[in-house]
Amino acid sequence: MNFSENSNPIRWIIIFISFSIIAIILWNTYTFFQIFKNEERIKMNLWATAEKTLINAQENTEVDLPLQIFNNNTTIPLILTENDSIINSVNIDEEIIKNKKRATEYLNELKSENEPIKIIYAPGKSQELYYGDSSLIDKLKYYPIALSLIIVLCGILIYNFYLSHKMSTQNKLWAGMAKETAHQIGTPLSSLIGWLEILKMENIDESITVEIEKDIERLQTITDRFSKIGSEPKLELKDAVEETKQSYNYLISRFSNQIEFSFKAPSKPIPILLNPTLHSWTIENLVKNSIDAMKGRGKLSMEMEEDNHHVKINVTDTGSGIPKKEFHRIFETGFTTKKRGWGLGLSLTKRIVEEYHKGTIKVLHSEIGKGTTMQIILRKT
């Protein structure tokens, strides 16, 4: 039986067992907490009995045991009152007791922590013993919180590991599909090249064969692109202006004249390390994405500029714009606003720019209903 077929039940079994273990640990912690609380209550009852014994002590009364009980209490804070006045305190900072306001506030805290013990030492006479939790009880209070945080962190780590493993598997799948696509396109492409040579010999209008040749070259470029997915591409020292302009001009001739194209770049070459095939793919993805945003009608401009260390390529359209909250999401694999789309274009573009060319790509500016400017930044040599 295939493990993947049973992965969902197994996952739920593991989750159920994990939560059961967590529940057992938290229940045991609560049980220990109650046990320690009861033990401290017993200690305070003994302390109250010792206090009553000392109050009623005669000359021949044995007081060693009560005094020993008093001395053994080194962790539990307590306040002894009579007629609403504090007459004694143990394990509490003297500065608190000396300050009447602070002493009252501290006494109220003790009242909220544990039920007081009433010491009736004579008819009509009594004292009240208020006590708080020891340092051990205080630590046990925060233990479930700390445990829960550790569990949450472990859960996040496991989820991230699962997500990264899943993404790695998906990337391998996409890379395999891309290479297989390139291989499958290669066979009919070779036949098309042969048929083109036959058409040339038949003295057909040269303008037709030139355009067919351009499209065949484009198919070869696309095949080359897909074959490079999943492998480290070779970078070459190229003129960024010329490479970008060639890709942009090719696309201009393939789209409707309802789009007003413009291109602006420095007049001098800008040498950078890039892979021409993948760089062309980047430009194509950005242009097509902008045209889709404009629904095939509007203005699209590409502007290149440079500084001492970088060359910047800005692609601006007059499309529908992108909400600010989705600036980063548009680069996620599978994210798309189109009714028909895989959400791979900008994801691949980001990977080409950042992983292969060590550059950056971002939404430089966008306004709903007015358009968007995408920016690519590449390092100069």
mmCIF file of all heavy atoms in Angstrom, residues 8 18 33 37 61 76-77 84 99 126 132 134 141 174 181 239-240 244 259 263 268 281 288 301 335 346:
data_model
loop_
_atom_site.group_PDB
_atom_site.id
_atom_site.type_symbol
_atom_site.label_atom_id
_atom_site.label_comp_id
_atom_site.label_asym_id
_atom_site.label_seq_id
_atom_site.Cartn_x
_atom_site.Cartn_y
_atom_site.Cartn_z
ATOM 1 N N ASN A 8 -3.030 11.132 4.967
ATOM 2 C CA ASN A 8 -3.972 11.973 5.702
ATOM 3 C C ASN A 8 -4.412 11.329 7.015
ATOM 4 O O ASN A 8 -4.352 11.974 8.061
ATOM 5 C CB ASN A 8 -5.177 12.287 4.817
ATOM 6 C CG ASN A 8 -5.999 13.434 5.347
ATOM 7 O OD1 ASN A 8 -5.441 14.480 5.674
ATOM 8 N ND2 ASN A 8 -7.291 13.234 5.454
ATOM 9 N N SER A 18 -0.293 13.651 19.637
ATOM 10 C CA SER A 18 0.443 14.817 20.142
ATOM 11 C C SER A 18 -0.412 15.616 21.120
ATOM 12 O O SER A 18 0.042 15.982 22.218
ATOM 13 C CB SER A 18 0.886 15.711 18.979
ATOM 14 O OG SER A 18 1.712 15.005 18.093
ATOM 15 N N PHE A 33 0.131 20.951 40.909
ATOM 16 C CA PHE A 33 -0.158 22.281 41.443
ATOM 17 C C PHE A 33 -1.136 22.187 42.612
ATOM 18 O O PHE A 33 -0.930 22.808 43.665
ATOM 19 C CB PHE A 33 -0.733 23.159 40.323
ATOM 20 C CG PHE A 33 -1.044 24.564 40.738
ATOM 21 C CD1 PHE A 33 -0.057 25.520 40.828
ATOM 22 C CD2 PHE A 33 -2.353 24.927 41.051
ATOM 23 C CE1 PHE A 33 -0.346 26.820 41.210
ATOM 24 C CE2 PHE A 33 -2.654 26.223 41.433
ATOM 25 C CZ PHE A 33 -1.654 27.171 41.513
ATOM 26 N N LYS A 37 -0.537 23.018 46.534
ATOM 27 C CA LYS A 37 -1.424 23.991 47.182
ATOM 28 C C LYS A 37 -2.000 23.410 48.474
ATOM 29 O O LYS A 37 -2.050 24.094 49.506
ATOM 30 C CB LYS A 37 -2.569 24.373 46.229
ATOM 31 C CG LYS A 37 -2.176 25.245 45.070
ATOM 32 C CD LYS A 37 -2.099 26.714 45.434
ATOM 33 C CE LYS A 37 -3.449 27.336 45.596
ATOM 34 N NZ LYS A 37 -3.357 28.811 45.820
ATOM 35 N N THR A 61 4.132 25.380 79.443
ATOM 36 C CA THR A 61 3.757 24.941 78.086
ATOM 37 C C THR A 61 5.009 24.723 77.232
ATOM 38 O O THR A 61 5.920 25.560 77.224
ATOM 39 C CB THR A 61 2.859 25.979 77.395
ATOM 40 O OG1 THR A 61 1.688 26.188 78.200
ATOM 41 C CG2 THR A 61 2.444 25.499 76.011
ATOM 42 N N ILE A 76 6.797 30.689 52.253
ATOM 43 C CA ILE A 76 5.408 31.130 52.109
ATOM 44 C C ILE A 76 5.230 32.503 52.771
ATOM 45 O O ILE A 76 5.426 32.644 53.975
ATOM 46 C CB ILE A 76 4.435 30.121 52.750
ATOM 47 C CG1 ILE A 76 4.638 28.723 52.138
ATOM 48 C CG2 ILE A 76 2.990 30.579 52.559
ATOM 49 C CD1 ILE A 76 3.832 27.638 52.818
ATOM 50 N N PRO A 77 4.859 33.523 51.984
ATOM 51 C CA PRO A 77 4.624 34.844 52.577
ATOM 52 C C PRO A 77 3.276 34.864 53.316
ATOM 53 O O PRO A 77 2.284 34.317 52.828
ATOM 54 C CB PRO A 77 4.597 35.774 51.356
ATOM 55 C CG PRO A 77 4.155 34.903 50.230
ATOM 56 C CD PRO A 77 4.680 33.527 50.521
ATOM 57 N N ASP A 84 -8.504 43.865 61.932
ATOM 58 C CA ASP A 84 -8.133 44.531 60.672
ATOM 59 C C ASP A 84 -6.805 45.271 60.732
ATOM 60 O O ASP A 84 -6.511 46.105 59.865
ATOM 61 C CB ASP A 84 -9.234 45.509 60.229
ATOM 62 C CG ASP A 84 -10.541 44.791 59.915
ATOM 63 O OD1 ASP A 84 -10.462 43.646 59.424
ATOM 64 O OD2 ASP A 84 -11.611 45.371 60.157
ATOM 65 N N ASN A 99 5.073 50.719 54.710
ATOM 66 C CA ASN A 99 4.244 51.616 53.898
ATOM 67 C C ASN A 99 2.794 51.128 53.966
ATOM 68 O O ASN A 99 2.465 50.057 53.465
ATOM 69 C CB ASN A 99 4.746 51.617 52.451
ATOM 70 C CG ASN A 99 4.047 52.656 51.598
ATOM 71 O OD1 ASN A 99 2.836 52.789 51.632
ATOM 72 N ND2 ASN A 99 4.835 53.395 50.820
ATOM 73 N N SER A 126 -10.085 36.604 68.029
ATOM 74 C CA SER A 126 -9.546 35.822 66.902
ATOM 75 C C SER A 126 -8.561 36.654 66.069
ATOM 76 O O SER A 126 -8.525 37.892 66.157
ATOM 77 C CB SER A 126 -10.688 35.333 66.005
ATOM 78 O OG SER A 126 -11.340 36.441 65.401
ATOM 79 N N GLY A 132 0.180 33.782 50.920
ATOM 80 C CA GLY A 132 0.279 33.716 49.462
ATOM 81 C C GLY A 132 0.937 32.430 48.993
ATOM 82 O O GLY A 132 1.207 31.525 49.793
ATOM 83 N N SER A 134 3.948 30.119 47.517
ATOM 84 C CA SER A 134 5.405 30.081 47.594
ATOM 85 C C SER A 134 6.011 30.240 46.206
ATOM 86 O O SER A 134 5.307 30.198 45.189
ATOM 87 C CB SER A 134 5.859 28.754 48.209
ATOM 88 O OG SER A 134 5.513 27.685 47.344
ATOM 89 N N LYS A 141 2.833 27.906 38.156
ATOM 90 C CA LYS A 141 1.801 28.664 37.454
ATOM 91 C C LYS A 141 2.216 28.945 36.014
ATOM 92 O O LYS A 141 1.402 28.879 35.088
ATOM 93 C CB LYS A 141 1.540 29.994 38.169
ATOM 94 C CG LYS A 141 0.751 29.884 39.452
ATOM 95 C CD LYS A 141 0.585 31.280 40.049
ATOM 96 C CE LYS A 141 -0.125 31.210 41.403
ATOM 97 N NZ LYS A 141 -0.219 32.559 42.015
ATOM 98 N N TRP A 174 8.010 20.849 -11.004
ATOM 99 C CA TRP A 174 7.955 21.871 -12.058
ATOM 100 C C TRP A 174 9.197 21.823 -12.937
ATOM 101 O O TRP A 174 9.111 21.978 -14.162
ATOM 102 C CB TRP A 174 7.814 23.265 -11.437
ATOM 103 C CG TRP A 174 6.447 23.573 -10.948
ATOM 104 C CD1 TRP A 174 6.046 23.779 -9.659
ATOM 105 C CD2 TRP A 174 5.253 23.692 -11.741
ATOM 106 N NE1 TRP A 174 4.707 24.015 -9.585
ATOM 107 C CE2 TRP A 174 4.184 23.976 -10.854
ATOM 108 C CE3 TRP A 174 4.973 23.579 -13.100
ATOM 109 C CZ2 TRP A 174 2.877 24.152 -11.286
ATOM 110 C CZ3 TRP A 174 3.664 23.763 -13.528
ATOM 111 C CH2 TRP A 174 2.639 24.047 -12.634
ATOM 112 N N THR A 181 8.888 19.325 -21.157
ATOM 113 C CA THR A 181 8.244 20.182 -22.159
ATOM 114 C C THR A 181 9.245 20.629 -23.214
ATOM 115 O O THR A 181 8.957 20.608 -24.421
ATOM 116 C CB THR A 181 7.618 21.419 -21.481
ATOM 117 O OG1 THR A 181 6.661 20.986 -20.516
ATOM 118 C CG2 THR A 181 6.926 22.311 -22.503
ATOM 119 N N ASP A 239 25.512 43.430 -22.723
ATOM 120 C CA ASP A 239 25.026 44.797 -22.621
ATOM 121 C C ASP A 239 23.553 44.753 -22.192
ATOM 122 O O ASP A 239 22.695 44.306 -22.962
ATOM 123 C CB ASP A 239 25.188 45.509 -23.972
ATOM 124 C CG ASP A 239 24.626 46.921 -23.959
ATOM 125 O OD1 ASP A 239 24.346 47.442 -22.854
ATOM 126 O OD2 ASP A 239 24.451 47.499 -25.052
ATOM 127 N N ALA A 240 23.271 45.221 -20.987
ATOM 128 C CA ALA A 240 21.907 45.159 -20.453
ATOM 129 C C ALA A 240 20.928 45.946 -21.315
ATOM 130 O O ALA A 240 19.779 45.538 -21.502
ATOM 131 C CB ALA A 240 21.884 45.682 -19.019
ATOM 132 N N THR A 244 17.836 44.003 -23.238
ATOM 133 C CA THR A 244 16.489 44.403 -22.835
ATOM 134 C C THR A 244 15.715 44.969 -24.026
ATOM 135 O O THR A 244 14.533 44.649 -24.229
ATOM 136 C CB THR A 244 16.561 45.451 -21.709
ATOM 137 O OG1 THR A 244 17.315 44.917 -20.615
ATOM 138 C CG2 THR A 244 15.166 45.824 -21.219
ATOM 139 N N ILE A 259 -2.022 49.514 -27.847
ATOM 140 C CA ILE A 259 -1.096 49.761 -26.738
ATOM 141 C C ILE A 259 -0.005 50.703 -27.231
ATOM 142 O O ILE A 259 0.635 50.459 -28.253
ATOM 143 C CB ILE A 259 -0.473 48.455 -26.217
ATOM 144 C CG1 ILE A 259 -1.576 47.534 -25.686
ATOM 145 C CG2 ILE A 259 0.540 48.751 -25.120
ATOM 146 C CD1 ILE A 259 -1.094 46.162 -25.327
ATOM 147 N N PHE A 263 10.182 53.300 -24.980
ATOM 148 C CA PHE A 263 11.407 52.732 -24.398
ATOM 149 C C PHE A 263 12.435 53.846 -24.233
ATOM 150 O O PHE A 263 12.685 54.619 -25.156
ATOM 151 C CB PHE A 263 11.973 51.627 -25.297
ATOM 152 C CG PHE A 263 13.190 50.948 -24.730
ATOM 153 C CD1 PHE A 263 13.073 49.915 -23.825
ATOM 154 C CD2 PHE A 263 14.461 51.362 -25.110
ATOM 155 C CE1 PHE A 263 14.191 49.280 -23.305
ATOM 156 C CE2 PHE A 263 15.594 50.747 -24.591
ATOM 157 C CZ PHE A 263 15.447 49.696 -23.682
ATOM 158 N N LYS A 268 24.709 54.671 -23.884
ATOM 159 C CA LYS A 268 25.934 53.866 -23.820
ATOM 160 C C LYS A 268 25.626 52.460 -23.310
ATOM 161 O O LYS A 268 24.631 52.245 -22.605
ATOM 162 C CB LYS A 268 26.955 54.537 -22.914
ATOM 163 C CG LYS A 268 26.509 54.629 -21.471
ATOM 164 C CD LYS A 268 27.602 55.199 -20.575
ATOM 165 C CE LYS A 268 27.151 55.217 -19.111
ATOM 166 N NZ LYS A 268 28.214 55.697 -18.210
ATOM 167 N N TRP A 281 13.120 36.255 -20.823
ATOM 168 C CA TRP A 281 11.904 35.709 -20.213
ATOM 169 C C TRP A 281 11.359 36.667 -19.150
ATOM 170 O O TRP A 281 10.152 36.874 -19.035
ATOM 171 C CB TRP A 281 12.217 34.361 -19.602
ATOM 172 C CG TRP A 281 11.020 33.487 -19.366
ATOM 173 C CD1 TRP A 281 9.707 33.813 -19.541
ATOM 174 C CD2 TRP A 281 11.042 32.134 -18.912
ATOM 175 N NE1 TRP A 281 8.906 32.756 -19.229
ATOM 176 C CE2 TRP A 281 9.689 31.699 -18.840
ATOM 177 C CE3 TRP A 281 12.052 31.246 -18.569
ATOM 178 C CZ2 TRP A 281 9.345 30.424 -18.423
ATOM 179 C CZ3 TRP A 281 11.715 29.973 -18.155
ATOM 180 C CH2 TRP A 281 10.373 29.563 -18.089
ATOM 181 N N LYS A 288 3.938 41.175 -20.519
ATOM 182 C CA LYS A 288 2.658 40.486 -20.664
ATOM 183 C C LYS A 288 1.760 40.726 -19.454
ATOM 184 O O LYS A 288 0.536 40.883 -19.586
ATOM 185 C CB LYS A 288 2.887 38.985 -20.853
ATOM 186 C CG LYS A 288 3.408 38.629 -22.244
ATOM 187 C CD LYS A 288 3.545 37.121 -22.387
ATOM 188 C CE LYS A 288 3.971 36.738 -23.807
ATOM 189 N NZ LYS A 288 4.115 35.277 -23.970
ATOM 190 N N SER A 301 5.399 51.703 -20.742
ATOM 191 C CA SER A 301 6.735 52.279 -20.946
ATOM 192 C C SER A 301 7.779 51.485 -20.178
ATOM 193 O O SER A 301 7.501 50.965 -19.088
ATOM 194 C CB SER A 301 6.760 53.743 -20.483
ATOM 195 O OG SER A 301 6.534 53.841 -19.090
ATOM 196 N N PHE A 335 -0.433 32.477 -6.943
ATOM 197 C CA PHE A 335 -1.285 33.655 -6.733
ATOM 198 C C PHE A 335 -1.581 34.324 -8.075
ATOM 199 O O PHE A 335 -0.675 34.649 -8.831
ATOM 200 C CB PHE A 335 -0.596 34.661 -5.809
ATOM 201 C CG PHE A 335 -1.421 35.912 -5.587
ATOM 202 C CD1 PHE A 335 -2.443 35.919 -4.670
ATOM 203 C CD2 PHE A 335 -1.171 37.059 -6.327
ATOM 204 C CE1 PHE A 335 -3.211 37.057 -4.463
ATOM 205 C CE2 PHE A 335 -1.929 38.196 -6.133
ATOM 206 C CZ PHE A 335 -2.948 38.198 -5.199
ATOM 207 N N LEU A 346 5.029 35.784 -12.456
ATOM 208 C CA LEU A 346 5.824 36.651 -11.587
ATOM 209 C C LEU A 346 6.662 35.843 -10.600
ATOM 210 O O LEU A 346 7.730 36.293 -10.177
ATOM 211 C CB LEU A 346 4.910 37.619 -10.835
ATOM 212 C CG LEU A 346 4.295 38.741 -11.686
ATOM 213 C CD1 LEU A 346 3.360 39.595 -10.854
ATOM 214 C CD2 LEU A 346 5.387 39.606 -12.313
#
